[in-house]
Amino acid sequence: MKIVLWALALAIAWTAALIIIARTIGLHSTPGMWAGAVGLPGVVISNWTQAQLFHTFNRSRGYALMFLFNWGFYCSVIQGIISLKGTIK
């Protein structure tokens, strides 16, 4: 359960940061590019999903999809780190 909650916190923080960056200095700024790089799986998969399934781009839906994909990705990364940490010890 801790893994899910930590991943949820990370996904919420990243999505909130991306929304703030997009509304202030823009996604094509240096912070915007870094925020996109940190959330790469969600950014790429949500944009592809919108293009292939919905054939339109909706910013709110994009953020929601990015959040969900990144939440799942962060869960797997945290689980992998914990497994690797257990193996090393």
Side-chain angles (χ1 to χ4, degrees), residues 41-51 61-63 65-66 69:
V43 171
V44 173
I45 296 170
S46 69
N47 286 331
W48 180 84
T49 302
Q50 287 199 86
R61 180 175 50 217
Y63 287 134
L65 288 170
M66 284 183 229
F69 289 125

Side-chain angles (χ1 to χ4, degrees), residues 1-48:
M1 189 61 154
K2 286 183 182 181
I3 294 170
V4 172
L5 293 176
W6 275 103
L8 179 65
L10 286 171
I12 289 171
W14 177 82
T15 304
L18 189 65
I19 290 169
I20 291 167
I21 290 169
R23 290 180 185 234
T24 56
I25 58 176
L27 294 176
H28 290 267
S29 65
T30 301
M33 294 292 188
W34 278 106
V38 169
L40 253 182
V43 171
V44 173
I45 296 170
S46 69
N47 286 331
W48 180 84

